[in-house]
Amino acid sequence: MGCASDHRGLSLDEAPKYLIRDRDRTYGSLVTRRLRAIGIRDRPIAPASPRQNGFAERLIGSIRRECLDHIIVLGETHLRRILRSYARYYNDFRTHRSLDKDAPVARPVQRTGSIKSFHILGGLHHHYVRV
């Protein structure tokens, strides 16, 4: 049985090597000790530099602009369901200019068949396929 992998070929069954994070007090010594225990190196950004982690800031901005600014969240369970659905859309269907207008999870080009639209997040986004 093979293990799943992301678009860079990394195994999704393995822990990441690093955690880049801000210096929020939420990340106390208990969190950093547990991270080290499972083999993850803690990498806090520089003090007073919230924009230092551009990758996380860009993703958070995308989640806000493309998802949460348009949906009323009714609780933690609802938020988790919304974020799971958005993550699936973001990785499987949404085109990215840096990937030559492909999704992080590559998909085959469909050349024949009629086009069908599938609603994502209640119609906030759509996925078009040929059937």
Side-chain angles (χ1 to χ4, degrees):
M1 176 179 202
C3 62
S5 64
D6 70 4
H7 71 282
R8 296 163 298 192
L10 300 174
S11 172
L12 298 177
D13 297 329
E14 298 175 20
K17 293 181 181 179
Y18 300 96
L19 172 68
I20 300 172
R21 63 170 180 85
D22 61 13
R23 292 182 174 269
D24 192 310
R25 291 181 188 210
T26 306
Y27 301 99
S29 60
L30 178 65
V31 171
T32 55
R33 280 197 311 270
R34 287 192 179 168
L35 287 171
R36 274 190 232 116
I38 59 174
I40 299 175
R41 304 257 335 243
D42 182 40
R43 296 286 191 210
I45 62 174
S49 302
R51 296 185 185 269
Q52 186 176 7
N53 188 352
F55 295 108
E57 293 297 326
R58 186 169 182 180
L59 177 61
I60 290 167
S62 292
I63 292 168
R64 285 184 180 153
R65 283 186 307 276
E66 298 177 13
C67 183
L68 297 178
D69 285 351
H70 306 280
I71 297 174
I72 297 173
V73 178
L74 303 175
E76 181 181 350
T77 304
H78 186 226
L79 175 63
R80 288 181 184 276
R81 189 170 50 240
I82 290 167
L83 292 176
R84 268 194 306 275
S85 180
Y86 180 76
R88 197 169 30 256
Y89 161 74
Y90 187 89
N91 291 317
D92 295 347
F93 308 121
R94 181 183 180 271
T95 59
H96 297 255
R97 289 175 56 191
S98 63
L99 298 174
D100 294 326
K101 296 185 181 178
D102 198 3
V105 177
R107 60 220 165 149
V109 175
Q110 300 171 322
R111 300 194 186 277
T112 60
S114 59
I115 297 174
K116 175 115 172 112
S117 172
F118 293 95
H119 298 296
I120 300 171
L121 290 165
L124 183 59
H125 298 287
H126 296 85
H127 172 58
Y128 300 95
V129 295
R130 291 188 183 265
V131 291

